[in-house]
Amino acid sequence: MTIKFLGSNEKKEQFFKEFEMTTHLAEFYERQGRSAELFQLLIEDGQLRPALDAASKSHTRSHEHEIETAFNLLHVQKLFWEQSTELGPSIFPSDWKDTLPHSLVSASADWNAVSRILNLVKKGQMCGALAEVQNEIIKECLCLYIVLFLPDYIQHTTSISDLPIEIIKVVVALAQKLSSGNFYHEDHASKHDRMSADTRTNQASSAVTRAISILHSNQAYLTVGFGLENLLFHRIGKEWQDRSSLSSLLGQYEFSVLLGSEVNKNFLRAMRRNIGYCLGPEVSFNYMGDQLHELRMARQAVESFHQIRAAISESNENILHNNLRSFLRSFDTINLYSLSEFHAVTTSFEYIATFLLYARRPVQSIVLPHSWTILHLVPIIQLSSPKLAVSSQAERSRYTKHLLELVNHFSELLNYLDKSADKNFEFSCNGRRLPSSTILQRRNVELLAVIALNMGSERTLDENFAKIWDAIKAVFALRSSPVYFQHQSKFEQFVHTFVPSFNSYNGYNGKDWLAIIEFEDEQSHTGSMRQILDRGASRCRLQDVLSANSLDNTRRAVSANDLSASPFCESSYTEAQGKIISPYLNLVATCVPKVLSFSSTIRIRALFLTDVASLQFTLDAITQKLHQYRKVLSDLFADPTLSPSRLEALQEPWNAFTSHESTVAQLRLPWSTDHLRTQQWWFDPTELETALARDLEELRSIQEQLDMLEIE
């Protein structure tokens, strides 16, 4: 009823936008016949299917690139998260059955091909079908899906010739494109970036942990790990000037943690070296005083966060408490533009908040978003000492004070960002501007809301709760906070609103929800905790969560850098394949000079694990075929009834055979590990890549000629 009194359509539209009334705004655009605005609104809200429906009702084919992107994203969502292979024309809105936009015709054909290829792969057959997919981005999605979700196809190949080197090469090439900065031609780049940004906000935490676990525990994916390492160290190397802010370095540190302890250790070493160099007397005069201060604070934040994780593992309370304070103080005097990649800051504060809520719990349950449980709580418990499971009253008091400090510091940061909203400040992710900051800003406020939800639901309120609640209410009132937070002054009202709002938020696409994590069996809940359950929070036992999300494989896994820790052929390759690849892994680990840049080393490793391995497999396959030809020809020449004319007819294939045999022997020698140990030319990855391309091309030519060779 109130909306009717708003006056003009312009005022109604402004009202809906200001209060984030997406459903009302969508209905308004639909009534007005404003298909373009409706499409853009639904895209920003993550509603891909309705967005395509809206575009189908527009007789103009505007936003064709965005329509194609939404179409591709919908397929990515169906493929990776719904595990559905019903792709292609079945996804089109009914209005488009006969009049598809031109850009979707080829995309539809490619996704249809993906569906056919996946059905072949599940039957153990592919036979070069990858060539059916023309779009490089869609092809990369297909290969990545096969590597992550259909590992049996890679692991259980029965012969060397069946090894899907092409798939592995596509995945490695994708990682190399990301690290080199050559993201396709500009038009493709914009589509790929939009797909990446949207997918990033749509990822389920379980999918993230699954991918990490597969990457670490299955040695078949070492090449993917190498590519990701290459990306990380490219950022801290060639892109240091653009990626040395506090928030960016925190994000890179978190990335290095996911890639394993060795990568994390090497990242810290590289960061310390770079910052030490910048602060040194030879270089520091090139920097302004505030730039040097920013570098010191960035180093302090990353080092303190690293020490917090180490202290949790070692149960060293003094180091833990000192570094908690040091981490928080590193933000006290930070420059606004050092916070551009604020999602990394939010992640680190979420991690610390999860630890403090777990460590100080006065009752045997806590309330957390599902994503926090999977990404933070499970690793914390698996990382921490058993001593942490039971805290004394004095220790709980210290943890509560730290929680108050965390709330105060994070509140000040959000207040700082809110006041800077008019200074052309933009949030970014991996160096690219976020298309929308709505989800990030909501996530920031929800971090404080989760803390309030836990502390305010205790049977006996902590003496510090009033201070914490006052600080959080001040953040709720900020103009950048979601509207429904802005009028929450009473805790009971906040609980009543927050739980269902969190669980139903469209931006999370049903992939995150609030849950009460119970540390004991058959707990009963009363008071506010009962209200949290009644308002829609789920409940689960901690033991069940730990069992379902075990990271034992991740903890035991070797880093991609630690090549000698485990034979590469174990469980990932057949014995024959392992015999070929293992010596090359040892060669790279022992011969590549330490002075070589990390980026070059990673590139060399990737080439040995893909192209050099492919070359050896091809050599072996051709050699096997040559042995078969030699036996056939030898038997024919040994025939006492062989006529002179028949002997002359066999001379041509014999000459071709001996020529190929000689060429293959000449090609095999330079690529033997014994020969390569005496050489240094392959330390240059560009020269190595050129030589591989040349020899692989010659081997393919020999294969084609052998296939055409006729012996009558």
Side-chain angles (χ1 to χ4, degrees):
M1 183 65 71
T2 305
I3 294 172
K4 293 182 180 179
F5 297 103
L6 290 176
S8 65
N9 287 333
E10 289 77 10
K11 289 185 177 179
K12 290 178 183 178
E13 182 178 5
Q14 183 180 0
F15 179 82
F16 293 147
K17 286 181 177 179
E18 182 177 353
F19 290 94
E20 298 180 8
M21 300 171 69
T22 305
T23 303
H24 289 80
L25 185 58
E27 292 172 353
F28 173 78
Y29 283 150
E30 190 168 13
R31 286 195 303 271
Q32 295 284 315
R34 295 162 64 178
S35 300
E37 289 96 331
L38 177 59
F39 172 77
Q40 290 288 8
L41 173 68
L42 294 171
I43 285 293
E44 290 177 5
D45 199 46
Q47 301 183 51
L48 301 178
R49 168 71 75 175
L52 285 176
D53 290 339
S56 72
K57 294 173 183 176
S58 173
H59 296 294
T60 64
R61 288 300 184 231
S62 59
H63 303 289
E64 192 162 316
H65 291 320
E66 288 82 356
I67 292 172
E68 182 184 357
T69 298
F71 179 70
N72 286 334
L73 269 173
L74 191 57
H75 279 86
V76 171
Q77 181 174 311
K78 285 179 68 68
L79 185 61
F80 282 85
W81 287 278
E82 299 176 20
Q83 299 286 295
S84 170
T85 57
E86 294 182 7
L87 310 171
S90 62
I91 284 182
F92 290 129
S94 57
D95 294 357
W96 283 0
K97 292 297 182 183
D98 301 318
T99 57
L100 282 177
H102 176 73
S103 63
L104 295 190
V105 175
S106 59
S108 173
D110 280 340
W111 284 113
N112 208 27
V114 168
S115 184
R116 289 196 306 273
I117 292 169
L118 288 176
N119 288 328
L120 288 174
V121 170
K122 289 174 182 178
K123 297 175 184 176
Q125 313 164 357
M126 196 171 87
C127 307
L130 201 61
E132 294 180 32
V133 182
Q134 301 299 315
N135 185 292
E136 288 300 316
I137 298 175
I138 296 176
K139 184 182 292 185
E140 288 162 358
C141 289
L142 167 63
C143 293
L144 196 59
Y145 180 87
I146 293 173
V147 168
L148 287 177
F149 296 103
L150 300 175
D152 287 351
Y153 178 69
I154 293 178
Q155 296 175 19
H156 297 155
T157 47
T158 56
S159 69
I160 289 172
S161 60
D162 292 333
L163 186 70
I165 288 294
E166 185 178 5
I167 292 176
I168 297 175
K169 286 177 67 176
V170 169
V171 174
V172 172
L174 172 60
Q176 289 175 335
K177 287 174 186 174
L178 290 171
S179 65
S180 67
N182 294 324
F183 290 108
Y184 318 101
H185 134 336
E186 183 177 350
D187 188 39
H188 283 155
S190 61
K191 297 176 195 172
H192 187 273
D193 291 342
R194 289 194 198 98
M195 289 176 68
S196 300
D198 288 336
T199 304
R200 200 173 289 121
T201 61
N202 289 329
Q203 289 197 3
S205 51
S206 56
V208 174
T209 54
R210 173 184 169 88
I212 295 167
S213 181
I214 290 174
L215 184 63
H216 282 293
S217 61
N218 195 326
Q219 301 260 347
Y221 307 123
L222 273 178
T223 50
V224 180
F226 290 155
L228 293 173
E229 287 179 39
N230 194 1
L231 169 61
L232 175 66
F233 286 92
H234 175 83
R235 289 175 178 172
I236 201 171
K238 292 184 178 179
E239 297 181 354
W240 171 254
Q241 292 293 333
D242 298 324
R243 295 185 181 270
S244 55
S245 69
L246 186 153
S247 59
S248 181
L249 286 177
L250 262 181
Q252 293 170 63
Y253 171 83
E254 291 158 3
F255 187 24
S256 74
V257 169
L258 296 180
L259 294 178
S261 58
E262 282 298 317
V263 179
N264 178 238
K265 184 167 63 178
N266 288 335
F267 168 79
L268 286 170
R269 185 185 299 119
M271 183 198 74
R272 290 163 184 157
R273 182 185 64 240
N274 285 0
I275 293 180
Y277 178 72
C278 293
L279 297 177
E282 298 87 355
V283 179
S284 60
F285 65 87
N286 291 323
Y287 289 82
M288 302 291 289
D290 57 344
Q291 291 177 308
L292 296 176
H293 174 74
E294 297 295 316
L295 282 174
R296 292 189 185 96
M297 292 301 99
R299 179 174 61 184
Q300 179 176 318
V302 174
E303 294 283 9
S304 299
F305 190 53
H306 178 68
Q307 289 301 320
I308 289 169
R309 295 176 55 86
I312 292 173
S313 174
E314 299 166 7
S315 193
N316 190 320
E317 293 179 13
N318 288 330
I319 292 179
L320 178 63
H321 293 300
N322 290 338
N323 281 281
L324 277 170
R325 287 201 168 95
S326 175
F327 175 78
L328 295 174
R329 283 198 299 268
S330 65
F331 294 91
D332 286 348
T333 56
I334 203 68
N335 181 282
L336 174 65
Y337 297 97
S338 289
L339 301 174
S340 59
E341 305 223 2
F342 199 78
H343 62 92
V345 177
T346 306
T347 299
S348 61
F349 272 82
E350 285 175 350
Y351 180 90
I352 296 171
T354 302
F355 165 72
L356 293 174
L357 289 171
Y358 170 66
R360 68 163 294 279
R361 63 193 186 283
V363 294
Q364 290 301 307
S365 61
I366 55 176
V367 188
L368 294 177
H370 175 69
S371 59
W372 290 27
T373 304
I374 304 305
L375 299 176
H376 303 319
L377 181 63
V378 171
I380 283 171
I381 292 176
Q382 293 182 330
L383 183 68
S384 63
S385 163
K387 288 173 58 182
L388 188 61
V390 180
S391 302
S392 68
Q393 185 58 44
E395 289 166 342
R396 286 175 181 165
S397 178
R398 292 179 74 184
Y399 290 131
T400 302
K401 289 179 180 176
H402 283 307
L403 204 53
L404 175 59
E405 292 172 354
L406 181 141
V407 167
N408 286 334
H409 275 80
F410 198 68
S411 299
E412 289 172 5
L413 281 174
L414 298 188
N415 189 47
Y416 180 36
L417 292 174
D418 189 77
K419 291 178 179 177
S420 305
D422 300 326
K423 297 182 179 179
N424 296 321
F425 173 76
E426 293 179 333
F427 291 110
S428 61
C429 183
N430 295 327
R432 283 176 166 72
R433 184 181 68 83
L434 281 181
S436 172
S437 62
T438 303
I439 291 180
L440 176 58
Q441 290 172 328
R442 185 185 183 100
R443 183 180 160 202
N444 291 335
V445 181
E446 286 174 347
L447 188 158
L448 298 174
V450 168
I451 294 173
L453 198 62
N454 279 275
M455 294 197 66
S457 302
E458 296 166 4
R459 292 188 179 93
T460 304
L461 290 181
D462 188 278
E463 60 182 5
N464 290 292
F465 176 68
K467 298 176 183 176
I468 288 177
W469 181 236
D470 285 342
I472 292 175
K473 283 192 298 182
V475 172
F476 286 171
L478 296 176
R479 58 178 176 170
S480 57
S481 296
V483 174
Y484 82 90
F485 277 114
Q486 294 179 1
H487 308 290
Q488 309 282 336
S489 58
K490 294 183 179 180
F491 181 76
E492 294 74 14
Q493 178 191 9
F494 155 71
V495 174
H496 187 83
T497 307
F498 175 55
V499 178
S501 175
F502 186 100
N503 290 348
S504 62
Y505 178 49
N506 284 334
Y508 296 150
N509 289 318
K511 295 181 175 68
D512 209 0
W513 58 89
L514 288 171
I516 297 178
I517 313 299
E518 300 172 343
F519 299 98
E520 293 179 350
D521 294 341
E522 299 187 13
Q523 286 185 231
S524 60
H525 298 286
T526 60
S528 295
M529 198 64 81
R530 165 51 59 186
Q531 187 185 359
I532 292 170
L533 277 175
D534 292 342
R535 295 301 294 161
S538 61
R539 59 191 295 183
C540 55
R541 293 170 60 247
L542 176 64
Q543 194 55 48
D544 293 338
V545 175
L546 292 173
S547 300
N549 297 279
S550 173
L551 296 182
D552 286 345
N553 286 337
T554 301
R555 296 179 67 196
R556 289 197 299 265
V558 296
S559 159
N561 281 317
D562 192 6
L563 297 176
S564 60
S566 176
F568 185 79
C569 57
E570 277 188 20
S571 78
S572 302
Y573 282 83
T574 64
E575 183 178 355
Q577 294 159 352
K579 286 180 179 178
I580 288 176
I581 295 177
S582 293
Y584 285 115
L585 293 177
N586 183 57
L587 175 76
V588 174
T590 56
C591 292
V592 173
K594 302 296 183 185
V595 296
L596 205 62
S597 72
F598 198 89
S599 176
S600 295
T601 304
I602 292 294
R603 191 174 164 198
I604 290 170
R605 288 173 180 163
L607 286 168
F608 269 91
L609 284 164
T610 53
D611 286 4
V612 175
S614 178
L615 182 140
Q616 286 296 336
F617 296 154
T618 306
L619 279 170
D620 286 352
I622 291 175
T623 300
Q624 188 176 6
K625 185 172 288 189
L626 287 170
H627 285 326
Q628 293 170 353
Y629 278 133
R630 175 174 283 280
K631 185 177 185 309
V632 171
L633 288 168
S634 297
D635 289 345
L636 287 172
F637 282 126
D639 184 357
T641 64
L642 191 67
S643 66
S645 60
R646 175 69 170 143
L647 179 63
E648 185 176 347
L650 289 174
Q651 196 62 46
E652 184 177 348
W654 173 260
N655 291 339
F657 159 76
T658 54
S659 173
H660 292 325
E661 198 173 44
S662 174
T663 302
V664 168
Q666 292 173 9
L667 287 173
R668 185 181 291 277
L669 176 63
W671 296 106
S672 70
T673 53
D674 289 341
H675 181 78
L676 288 171
R677 286 185 189 279
T678 66
Q679 306 294 309
Q680 294 185 358
W681 62 268
W682 56 275
F683 295 162
D684 181 344
T686 301
E687 189 172 348
L688 175 61
E689 190 169 17
T690 301
L692 281 165
R694 179 196 63 225
D695 288 1
L696 279 168
E697 182 59 35
E698 187 163 2
L699 284 173
R700 291 189 189 101
S701 175
I702 291 173
Q703 272 186 316
E704 291 173 0
Q705 293 176 51
L706 284 175
D707 290 340
M708 293 186 294
L709 191 61
E710 295 181 0
I711 302 176
E712 298 178 356

